[in-house]
Amino acid sequence: MTAMVKAEGVHKSFGPVQVLKGIDLEVAPREVFCLIGPSGSGKSTFLRCINHLEKINSGRLYVDGELVGYRQKGDKLYELKDREVAEKRRDIGMVFQRFNLFPHMTALENVIEAPVQVKGETKAVARERALKLLDRVGLADKAGNYPSQLSGGQQQRVAIARALAMEPKLMLFDEPTSALDPELVGDVLDVMRGLAEDGMTMIVVTHEMGFAREVGDSVVFMDDGVVVESGHPREVLTNPRHERTKSFLSKVL
């Protein structure tokens, strides 16, 4: 079975600062893959490399068996044109810490926008799916509301519906609950649980250890640009082998 995501020796630097120092990992289809670790460990950067929002400096990154951002001919890699990158990015949904909704559009309009503009769907088809997705994230009654009329948790759920509207085969979540008030976190995590139950492949950068333990199929602990430890959530979170993992978990659990 082809891995949904495969990283081989992925390096990424910003100027002289090495952020990723040779990441090797695989994410299977339908897997919920949680990335944990301290701020600045490279988790979010790695996530952004998967859909080529950041270009890697060396190594290989594949999504569903295809190179991300490049085409290989013989031994050489050729960077894809922006249009080709955008086309492949359509298959990857991304949900950010900040909800990035269009403030001048209603919840429904936010969800409809990409399928109509990017995929060329008719408004009627996009609208029908958008209403179902808003219902799925528990916001059927908020379709006509603007982002300013929604709580942070509701805005994040609209952002999830918006990502799902493109019918992606992979969902990336970059600390989707970190900007939320504690009492709003549960609703967003419930939506993510539902996606996991439906078999969506998900990579989740998170500080929610309960979610990682309960919903995750695998957990990777990153620190200083490398994978320190990986395995089943119960093993890594309950019985970490590495001192650095133990020290991190003692502060967050």
Side-chain angles (χ1 to χ4, degrees), residues 114-151:
V116 171
Q117 298 299 334
V118 180
K119 280 178 138 177
E121 281 186 6
T122 66
K123 276 209 163 142
V125 168
R127 179 188 164 84
E128 193 179 334
R129 186 188 309 113
L131 288 168
K132 281 181 187 158
L133 286 169
L134 286 171
D135 186 38
R136 181 179 183 177
V137 299
L139 293 173
D141 58 333
K142 304 289 184 191
N145 288 40
Y146 289 91
S148 61
Q149 299 168 314
L150 301 171
S151 72

Side-chain angles (χ1 to χ4, degrees), residues 24-215:
D24 295 290
L25 53 79
E26 275 192 32
V27 181
R30 303 175 71 87
E31 184 171 9
V32 179
F33 192 92
C34 295
L35 288 171
I36 64 169
S39 295
S41 57
K43 309 180 301 295
S44 294
T45 299
F46 177 67
L47 211 62
R48 292 170 67 83
C49 290
I50 293 172
N51 65 359
H52 209 55
L53 287 174
E54 300 290 355
K55 296 175 186 178
I56 66 177
N57 297 108
S58 62
R60 298 273 194 283
L61 198 45
Y62 301 88
V63 170
D64 204 14
E66 291 191 14
L67 269 174
V68 172
Y70 298 91
R71 182 185 297 108
Q72 187 160 353
K73 275 191 184 166
D75 294 341
K76 281 200 165 170
L77 286 183
Y78 297 90
E79 193 163 352
L80 297 178
K81 294 185 173 69
D82 287 349
R83 187 176 47 78
E84 296 171 290
V85 170
E87 214 157 281
K88 293 203 186 300
R89 202 178 275 146
R90 283 155 48 159
D91 291 333
I92 304 172
M94 185 151 185
V95 178
F96 300 88
Q97 289 180 33
R98 297 279 164 198
F99 329 117
N100 296 355
L101 297 177
F102 298 117
H104 60 290
M105 291 183 182
T106 63
L108 183 64
E109 288 165 345
N110 263 284
V111 179
I112 286 172
E113 181 72 1
V116 171
Q117 298 299 334
V118 180
K119 280 178 138 177
E121 281 186 6
T122 66
K123 276 209 163 142
V125 168
R127 179 188 164 84
E128 193 179 334
R129 186 188 309 113
L131 288 168
K132 281 181 187 158
L133 286 169
L134 286 171
D135 186 38
R136 181 179 183 177
V137 299
L139 293 173
D141 58 333
K142 304 289 184 191
N145 288 40
Y146 289 91
S148 61
Q149 299 168 314
L150 301 171
S151 72
Q154 289 169 335
Q155 288 185 60
Q156 191 60 295
R157 284 184 280 153
V158 173
I160 293 172
R162 180 177 63 176
L164 291 172
M166 291 294 282
E167 301 183 303
K169 53 187 168 188
L170 170 66
M171 284 284 281
L172 308 176
F173 291 89
D174 189 8
E175 296 189 22
T177 57
S178 66
L180 302 179
D181 292 335
E183 71 267 25
L184 302 175
V185 167
D187 291 339
V188 172
L189 293 180
D190 283 345
V191 170
M192 292 168 67
R193 272 189 200 92
L195 289 179
E197 284 161 14
D198 291 347
M200 174 63 78
T201 311
M202 295 157 60
I203 303 180
V204 186
V205 172
T206 187
H207 292 299
E208 300 289 340
M209 298 302 148
F211 176 84
R213 181 188 285 116
E214 206 184 305
V215 185

